[in-house]
Amino acid sequence: MTQMLASVDQRTKLVGENRLELLLFRISVTQLFAINVFKVKEVVKVPPLSSMPGSHSSIIGVANLRGLSIPVIDLRKAIGFRPSAIHPESNLIVTEYNRSVQGFLVDKVEHIVNLTWGDIMPPPKTVGRDNYLTAITRIEYQDKQELVSIIDVEKVLAEIIHYDIRLSDGVLDEQLLPHMLGRKVLIADDSATARRQVRETLEQLGLEVIEVSDGLLALNQLKKWCDEGKVITDHILMLITDAEMPEMDGYKLTYEVRNDKRMADLFITLNTSLSGSFNNAMVEKVGCNRFISKFQPDLLVEVVQDRLREALMAKS
């Protein structure tokens, strides 16, 4: 398993090419699930776990990996199945999301597949709002077509870890509030939980938030406004985009915006749970203005306020 993930750090070449690699695993016999390899630090056999009294019911203990204590989440239970039973083939997927490290207990890790974001589809609307999927795809696996469900890990974590959208004292610039009212911000993120966090944070400023669930929808919306004769930098204050999304990732979205002269000057912030130094390099490569690691409401507000100050200075 270590060998399988040994080259994860070299996989950054996929980012910005509208490609991704998925780590496939099972939490039930009949269905494949997946998460993005970029969020995986390592995959190990399940080590001894220490109990953590008073923790969330989906946290089954704490693992000590090379001196680091990490909470272990029973992913099967967290997304609504019956609790897992640890067996010889069980694996622990150690991940980093939103600047925190946690382990997910799964029945068995299978392997890694390389896809394009164009292969990834949003889950059917008929599954309802309470599902734990950000997307689905189909792959050829072991001589047959299999459906792969991509887990909305941000929703799983938000139900276990409380994310506070309250702003720290001194963050909000009261003098800017009158200028915020009625201004629009476009956010693109395939996680409904992540969109809600951003929306509820920005609504405290009086901003109007327009939401879409993938990069292609965001690009189409921007083109529609341009076709209607709107000046994008006047119509919306900024675009806040996730990195990973079905149809078109945030890097490709930024590239497309920068190469359309009608919207090339739009202020773009990459807001992602992906961690690692490659993010700053990719921001520079594709032309984002800022990068924010989720979820930091104070920093998000500071970026928006900086952008508004810049817009007001340009008008004066």
Side-chain angles (χ1 to χ4, degrees):
M1 193 59 61
T2 301
Q3 185 176 5
M4 177 193 289
L5 294 172
S7 62
V8 167
D9 289 339
Q10 278 76 54
R11 298 176 189 276
T12 57
K13 64 182 183 296
L14 296 178
V15 181
E17 303 298 332
N18 213 40
R19 300 189 67 82
L20 76 161
E21 287 185 315
L22 296 177
L23 179 68
L24 303 181
F25 59 89
R26 295 189 188 274
I27 54 177
S28 67
V29 175
T30 58
Q31 190 173 352
L32 280 171
F33 292 84
I35 60 175
N36 193 309
V37 165
F38 275 106
K39 296 179 179 177
V40 177
K41 294 176 69 68
E42 61 180 321
V43 176
V44 298
K45 291 297 182 183
V46 183
L49 303 179
S50 302
S51 61
M52 197 160 66
S55 61
H56 190 278
S57 61
S58 293
I59 297 179
I60 59 173
V62 174
N64 188 296
L65 296 177
R66 291 175 295 283
L68 179 65
S69 296
I70 64 169
V72 174
I73 297 167
D74 181 350
L75 188 55
R76 182 208 290 258
K77 182 175 182 181
I79 65 172
F81 290 91
R82 67 180 186 278
S84 296
I86 298 176
H87 54 77
E89 289 193 322
S90 296
N91 288 120
L92 193 65
I93 303 176
V94 182
T95 66
E96 185 170 358
Y97 282 82
N98 302 352
R99 298 164 295 118
S100 68
V101 177
Q102 53 280 311
F104 290 104
L105 173 66
V106 301
D107 282 347
K108 183 183 179 183
V109 168
E110 297 283 347
H111 73 292
I112 291 171
V113 293
N114 187 325
L115 302 169
T116 72
W117 279 109
D119 299 322
I120 310 300
M121 302 167 287
K125 293 181 180 179
T126 52
V127 300
R129 288 187 173 183
D130 295 329
N131 73 87
Y132 289 88
L133 306 181
T134 57
I136 60 173
T137 189
R138 287 190 177 275
I139 63 168
E140 187 74 26
Y141 185 63
Q142 296 180 343
D143 298 324
K144 63 178 180 179
Q145 283 278 320
E146 283 215 42
L147 179 71
V148 179
S149 300
I150 302 173
I151 299 289
D152 185 350
V153 178
E154 290 174 34
K155 178 176 180 179
V156 172
L157 292 176
E159 293 182 354
I160 296 172
I161 304 168
H162 175 65
Y163 292 105
D164 195 344
I165 66 166
R166 288 178 298 179
L167 303 177
S168 301
D169 291 341
V171 170
L172 194 59
D173 186 339
E174 301 287 346
Q175 293 183 338
L176 286 177
L177 282 179
H179 301 283
M180 293 279 188
L181 295 176
R183 288 184 180 263
K184 299 180 177 67
V185 172
L186 177 63
I187 62 172
D189 199 306
D190 60 335
S191 170
T193 297
R195 294 198 305 272
R196 188 190 74 243
Q197 290 170 340
V198 173
R199 182 183 70 248
E200 292 179 352
T201 300
L202 297 187
E203 284 178 346
Q204 297 176 83
L205 310 181
L207 292 166
E208 179 183 338
V209 176
I210 302 165
E211 302 177 39
V212 294
S213 58
D214 67 61
L216 185 58
L217 288 174
L219 183 62
N220 288 341
Q221 180 62 73
L222 291 167
K223 287 182 175 180
K224 180 175 181 290
W225 286 328
C226 289
D227 292 343
E228 291 171 352
K230 293 181 171 65
V231 177
I232 288 297
T233 51
D234 291 339
H235 187 64
I236 62 173
L237 183 64
M238 62 194 301
L239 164 65
I240 300 173
T241 179
D242 188 19
E244 305 176 272
M245 293 178 288
E247 303 284 358
M248 180 181 290
D249 67 26
Y251 303 105
K252 179 68 171 175
L253 169 60
T254 302
Y255 176 84
E256 294 293 335
V257 170
R258 293 291 180 246
N259 283 275
D260 187 327
K261 62 182 181 180
R262 301 174 300 173
M263 59 180 96
D265 294 331
L266 178 63
F267 190 97
I268 303 176
T269 294
L270 190 71
N271 182 46
T272 174
S273 58
L274 288 172
S275 299
S277 60
F278 72 90
N279 269 312
N280 290 325
M282 287 307 306
V283 165
E284 184 176 347
K285 178 181 176 182
V286 302
C288 290
N289 297 93
R290 293 288 295 271
F291 161 71
I292 305 174
S293 181
K294 295 176 181 176
F295 173 65
Q296 302 180 76
D298 286 355
L299 183 53
L300 179 62
V301 168
E302 287 174 4
V303 169
V304 172
Q305 291 183 153
D306 286 347
R307 167 57 187 143
L308 180 57
R309 291 187 190 100
E310 178 186 284
L312 293 174
M313 288 182 62
K315 292 291 185 183
S316 62

